[in-house]
Amino acid sequence: MTSRDSASSEITPEVLLRAYACGIFPMAESADDPSLFWVEPEMRGVIPLDGFRIASRLARTVRSDGFTVTANTAFKAVMAGCAAPQEGREDTWINRRIRDLYFGLHELGHCHSVEVWQDGDLAGGLYGVSLGRAFFGESMFHRVRDASKVALVHLVARLIAGGFELLDTQYVTEHLRSFGAVEIPRRRYRALLDHAIAGEPADFLRLAPATPLSGAEALEIVATRN
């Protein structure tokens, strides 16, 4: 289900948070299209935190610490990376308006990034929205092989350590399915969401964001829920 808005002044970061609480998120047709539309999929993608799967080759890559992983240290750079064309994805739904809204959410403490570095350069990363004990994954990118996958492993470790219950992926791709992503009906999703945003919120920053977490530590945290 989608619906379009017409006035940019109608959507603020605060309005965006209320939309997420209702199970709705915004998208744009392309990076050049200034308009947005609201989306509420009939089937929603989620990765159960107690069912997160890591292939053995990826686990070796994570454990080797060939990358350095931080959080919330280069949010705008991660968004720019997610908005840039990549192989197999020539266009993106991240337009200027999306960037401005999520920058605003970041300043409010409700939007976070995970950065993956190699030799001081940003090799990949991801960003998403936190609300209560729910995290809504928005986009990821890589410039070096496996960088976005490593970011996802570290994200899940951070979510588990911070007390999150729900990892929303919006949709399920074959890539996400390999990590354990599943589709659930809208009604079931809304029940999980309502529970996750009630009560004491989780803490995305429980693990120090600027202090790199080793791959072995990330894998150990993930193992506590599997």
Side-chain angles (χ1 to χ4, degrees), residues 135-209:
F135 189 89
F136 309 85
E138 286 296 319
S139 188
M140 61 175 62
F141 81 101
H142 69 276
R143 295 172 181 147
V144 177
R145 182 185 178 185
D146 289 339
S148 61
K149 296 178 182 178
V150 171
L152 183 57
V153 172
H154 277 259
L155 171 69
V156 169
R158 183 169 288 277
L159 297 183
I160 292 171
F164 286 81
E165 295 181 359
L166 177 63
L167 173 52
D168 173 2
T169 67
Q170 298 178 349
Y171 300 101
V172 171
T173 63
E174 286 307 310
H175 172 65
L176 291 175
R177 201 180 298 277
S178 70
F179 287 95
V182 295
E183 284 186 322
I184 59 175
R186 181 189 298 167
R187 179 176 296 181
R188 172 62 177 155
Y189 171 78
R190 288 296 303 275
L192 293 175
L193 177 61
D194 289 346
H195 185 267
I197 63 177
E200 188 70 20
D203 182 6
F204 187 85
L205 303 180
R206 184 165 296 168
L207 299 177

Side-chain angles (χ1 to χ4, degrees), residues 23-57:
I24 304 169
F25 57 88
M27 294 189 75
E29 289 288 358
S30 70
D32 298 325
D33 186 349
S35 64
L36 300 180
F37 58 92
W38 295 110
V39 182
E40 186 181 16
E42 290 286 347
M43 298 295 292
R44 194 72 167 237
V46 300
I47 295 179
L49 293 176
D50 57 0
F52 184 64
R53 299 200 298 262
I54 306 173
S56 56
R57 186 190 69 79

Side-chain angles (χ1 to χ4, degrees), residues 81-94 139-141:
C82 290
Q86 294 193 57
E87 183 179 352
R89 189 187 72 185
E90 299 307 314
D91 202 358
T92 174
W93 51 270
I94 302 173
S139 188
M140 61 175 62
F141 81 101

Side-chain angles (χ1 to χ4, degrees), residues 8 78 176:
S8 60
V78 168
L176 291 175

